[in-house]
Amino acid sequence: VSTQSTGFARTQNGDKNSPQVIARHIYAALTFSPEESAELDWLVSERSRTQSMPRSHSDVGLKLRGTTEWAPPRAQIICHLHPPTTRKKLMERCGYRCAGCGMKIAQSLASIFRYCAYLGKYFCHSCHHEQAAFIPARILHKWDFRKQKVSNFAAELLGKMWSEPLYSIQDINSSLYRSVSELKFTRALRYQLYFLNEYLRACKNGKDLLGSVTIRGHIYNDPELFSLEDLCSVKDRVMIEALRPIVTSWLQHVDNCGLCRGKGFICELCERKEVIYPFQLTTVFQCQMCWTCFHKTCFTGTCPKCARIRSRRTLSQEDPAPQEHLTND
């Protein structure tokens, strides 16, 4: 105890080799007045910094993303193909900075940066670990499922979007339906489920059948929307094999259910009295204005029901209802 007390006293009395005394000397040597600190040549200049602090208290409430030269990547749904270009042009465009962290390098070191096939930008080794992923734009425009190397940010983003129905092929590239038979057949099955779903939802005996399916709702609620997972399952024909038995089961219900058959249509353009339905995609045409169904071979381009509706509207406008005459008692 006495030894420890003696050492503590020696430190308090100012031992030249004690850590406390050395720290005081260092602090005194590095302490500058405001005038002196303003004249210092800082190691990293204000211009070279990737992030700038607000210059005044009025700027504290602003939400800044990077600087005028660089901003961190943001979550994007990219459906277009990046135009071919050179590494030099892309690096010049981003000021020889990493698109992920903003680190700036000399032009001679540009070759060490790695290209992200999803964002179309270059990243440093810390922000790009060469993870491979499916590129949505290559699938939607070229039906190309070869994995490409992407940045860490893009890999995480694509993982989050994997099961989300974000891509409408009809709006992005409708020609893909003509060139890919599996996609065309899958679309037909989904449209059948779309129309059958309307019948089963209105049928008290069909709600249990709807509850027994395990497919996600967008498959039969919006036939044009696909996720990355859906597109991969279409390529492998997994979705086709999963939808076929469901379509067969729902068709059998409609054929055997009196309530569902009562919601069918009779083609008024021919003599046949068979009941037709909108989910008979190969033989039936449905008017997009009044939703009446006709045989495709009977329909000539003019819907008779719409024509009757227009004529009734015209007559109602030409012959207004007569006004009642008031009589004085």
Side-chain angles (χ1 to χ4, degrees), residues 303-323:
C303 174
K305 183 175 179 179
C306 289
R308 291 194 299 270
I309 294 173
R310 286 194 299 268
S311 64
R312 284 198 296 267
R313 288 176 179 171
T314 303
L315 290 173
S316 64
Q317 293 173 359
E318 293 177 354
D319 300 326
Q323 297 181 356

Side-chain angles (χ1 to χ4, degrees), residues 2 11 25-26 65 83 100 106 123 126 141 147 171 206 210 245 276 297-298:
S2 60
T11 300
H25 284 293
I26 295 175
R65 295 186 69 254
F123 292 76
S126 297
H141 291 277
K147 290 186 175 182
D171 296 327
L210 279 175
I276 57 178
T297 55
C298 300

Side-chain angles (χ1 to χ4, degrees), residues 146-160:
R146 288 176 295 181
K147 290 186 175 182
Q148 306 292 324
K149 294 179 180 179
V150 296
S151 62
N152 301 349
F153 176 84
E156 182 181 358
L157 178 62
L158 290 170
K160 293 178 180 178

Side-chain angles (χ1 to χ4, degrees), residues 53-253:
M53 296 298 294
R55 296 181 178 275
S56 65
H57 293 290
S58 61
D59 296 333
V60 173
L62 298 178
K63 294 182 179 180
L64 305 177
R65 295 186 69 254
T67 66
T68 56
E69 296 184 1
W70 169 85
R74 65 179 70 200
Q76 304 175 67
I77 302 174
I78 301 176
C79 301
H80 63 273
L81 292 169
H82 296 294
T85 184
T86 62
R87 177 189 294 263
K88 181 180 179 181
K89 289 182 179 179
L90 282 179
M91 292 298 295
E92 288 177 350
R93 192 179 303 167
C94 65
Y96 289 90
R97 293 184 184 274
C98 168
C101 64
M103 181 184 69
K104 189 171 184 178
I105 59 170
Q107 297 184 17
S108 59
L109 300 176
S111 60
I112 68 174
F113 270 32
R114 295 169 176 173
Y115 181 71
C116 173
Y118 181 70
L119 296 174
K121 297 179 180 180
Y122 281 94
F123 292 76
C124 67
H125 285 206
S126 297
C127 299
H128 195 313
H129 293 166
E130 296 190 309
Q131 301 177 70
F134 295 110
I135 307 300
R138 297 185 68 87
I139 297 175
L140 295 170
H141 291 277
K142 297 184 176 182
W143 203 242
D144 182 2
F145 286 85
R146 288 176 295 181
K147 290 186 175 182
Q148 306 292 324
K149 294 179 180 179
V150 296
S151 62
N152 301 349
F153 176 84
E156 182 181 358
L157 178 62
L158 290 170
K160 293 178 180 178
M161 298 191 306
W162 173 250
S163 300
E164 297 298 323
L166 303 172
Y167 309 102
S168 173
I169 295 181
Q170 180 63 30
D171 296 327
I172 298 172
N173 182 21
S174 59
S175 62
L176 205 60
Y177 286 125
R178 296 190 294 271
S179 58
V180 182
S181 58
E182 296 90 350
L183 191 61
K184 181 179 179 180
F185 187 56
T186 301
R187 184 196 193 194
L189 290 174
R190 290 182 62 177
Y191 264 105
Q192 282 187 293
L193 291 175
Y194 172 77
F195 290 115
L196 285 165
N197 175 52
E198 297 298 323
Y199 280 80
L200 268 62
R201 284 175 57 191
C203 176
K204 63 180 181 180
N205 299 322
K207 293 181 180 179
D208 294 337
L209 195 60
L210 279 175
S212 63
V213 297
T214 57
I215 57 176
R216 300 181 66 192
H218 73 276
I219 297 295
Y220 52 84
N221 286 326
D222 199 334
E224 296 293 348
L225 285 182
F226 290 82
S227 65
L228 275 176
E229 182 181 18
D230 295 335
L231 293 170
C232 292
S233 64
V234 170
K235 176 182 178 293
D236 299 332
R237 298 185 66 87
V238 173
M239 181 174 288
I240 293 177
E241 299 303 324
L243 297 184
R244 267 178 172 167
I246 300 176
V247 172
T248 302
S249 174
W250 290 10
L251 284 173
Q252 289 175 352
H253 169 82

